[in-house]
Amino acid sequence: MGFLTKWGSAWGDIPLTTGRIFWVAPSSYTLEGRAYSSSDNNDGLSPERALTTINQAVTNATADVGDTIMVIGSNTFTATQTISKAGLRIFGLPGGYTDSHSHGTRTTRYASSITTSASVDVLTITAARVEVAFLHIVPAAGKAGVNLAADDVNLHDLTWNMSTAANTATFGVSVTGASARPRISNNYVYVSDNQGPFLRCAASTAGMDGGFLRRSTIVLAGTTAWDDAVEITTGVDNFQVADMDFIASSGAVITNCVNILGNTNDHGVMVARCIHPVASTLTTATSTSDIVLVNNYIATIRGGSGGTLTTG
């Protein structure tokens, strides 16, 4: 194995963490041409002694000391993985470098993936200051990839596949409790059929106070219309949707890119510098005062009516 220091980096590199690294892998996995078996009876402190579940890694980790959970391979869990300790980082293996001006991730699919074989959310985050990155997430039909009910959570550099049988209760990120200042950025989201929104906030009190969905690409494939890419039903203020590319293939329509019909806070949501297809509505709101727009544009085929400023 390559030499890692106790600070979680290769010798001479800038430390990635001052805490411990817990490794999670499928029940059978290969490292450097050698076969290994993961087990929740392992300590998880070396890639050769990986744990089988993120839940066990959370149990072994300590809150707010810089502990990191590294996920390798394609992982299918039989229960939701609950991040219940503050300050943990759940990472997969990063891809190559990305252009700082691109909207999306370093790849269309990260190598480290997580899903579930049960009808449960893949991740449930109940602790503050959790960071999740460099993972490919596949929600189960009718469930969420991430169930979010904690403050200051950072979800970045993630790829998503929402292409199970059409189900309007299938979500990418579902905000189900107070979640101040969530930061969701650099995501690549692939959707087919009429699934639920990639981001849905239905928390009744302070669902998202502050925070943003930013610098991401959301793609609707196929020919079936998709009701909402983002849906905010209540409890949101000072939230920004910015630098987003909403893309739909021929025949498919994103009915509402950002739907905030249930959220009636004046200026509660800002939508800035987004691009959306000509047949799709960028925003839907109960009142014009509920949403703030700046520099959003319609895209269409060459010679069409695209490139015009979106005002509604």
Side-chain angles (χ1 to χ4, degrees):
M1 296 300 298
F3 179 56
L4 296 177
T5 75
K6 65 180 180 180
W7 304 110
S9 61
W11 182 256
D13 287 351
I14 297 172
L16 300 176
T17 178
T18 55
R20 296 172 295 173
I21 297 179
F22 294 93
W23 297 81
V24 174
S27 57
S28 299
Y29 63 104
T30 301
L31 290 174
E32 295 185 338
R34 293 190 289 261
Y36 295 91
S37 297
S38 68
S39 170
D40 279 348
N41 292 321
N42 292 339
D43 61 17
L45 292 173
S46 168
E48 301 99 327
R49 303 191 304 275
L51 301 163
T52 306
T53 65
I54 295 173
N55 279 342
Q56 187 61 51
V58 172
T59 296
N60 295 358
T62 302
D64 286 328
V65 297
D67 282 357
T68 298
I69 298 170
M70 281 293 304
V71 181
I72 56 177
S74 298
N75 299 265
T76 300
F77 304 114
T78 59
T80 189
Q81 305 298 290
T82 301
I83 317 304
S84 56
K85 290 181 179 177
L88 296 184
R89 302 192 298 177
I90 297 85
F91 287 176
L93 297 175
Y97 293 105
T98 187
D99 186 326
S100 61
H101 298 289
S102 65
H103 298 174
T105 62
R106 299 173 177 181
T107 178
T108 56
R109 189 196 187 284
Y110 282 109
S112 300
S113 68
I114 54 175
T115 187
T116 175
S117 61
S119 183
V120 295
D121 301 329
V122 181
L123 294 180
T124 299
I125 301 177
T126 60
R129 299 179 302 284
V130 167
E131 182 179 3
V132 182
F134 312 124
L135 288 168
H136 182 65
I137 302 178
V138 183
K143 295 296 178 179
V146 175
N147 183 328
L148 182 55
D151 293 345
D152 294 302
V153 170
N154 187 1
L155 309 175
H156 67 90
D157 292 279
L158 299 167
T159 59
W160 303 76
N161 189 309
M162 297 171 60
S163 60
T164 61
N167 190 322
T168 56
T170 302
F171 309 126
V173 180
S174 177
V175 181
T176 58
S179 182
R181 301 169 299 278
R183 298 178 303 284
I184 307 168
S185 62
N186 292 88
N187 285 248
Y188 180 89
V189 184
Y190 181 88
V191 180
S192 66
D193 294 319
N194 188 26
Q195 311 294 347
F198 166 66
L199 172 62
R200 183 176 190 265
C201 178
S204 59
T205 304
M208 292 188 299
D209 182 11
F212 55 74
L213 169 62
R214 183 183 295 169
R215 288 175 52 83
S216 298
T217 295
I218 297 180
V219 176
L220 174 61
T223 59
T224 303
W226 184 25
D227 286 345
D228 304 307
V230 176
E231 182 186 31
I232 297 172
T233 62
T234 186
V236 171
D237 214 350
N238 305 309
F239 190 76
Q240 184 188 59
V241 179
D243 300 304
M244 298 288 297
D245 291 341
F246 297 98
I247 300 172
S249 60
S250 175
V253 173
I254 304 173
T255 305
N256 297 294
C257 295
V258 182
N259 183 342
I260 66 164
L261 282 173
N263 194 73
T264 57
N265 296 337
D266 284 354
H267 303 177
V269 177
M270 172 183 283
V271 178
R273 301 181 303 277
C274 296
I275 298 172
H276 68 99
V278 68
S280 299
T281 299
L282 178 64
T283 63
T284 300
T286 302
S287 170
T288 55
S289 61
D290 295 339
I291 198 162
V292 177
L293 301 178
V294 55
N295 290 346
N296 302 286
Y297 288 89
I298 303 170
T300 189
I301 60 173
R302 180 180 178 183
S305 58
T308 56
L309 190 69
T310 299
T311 59

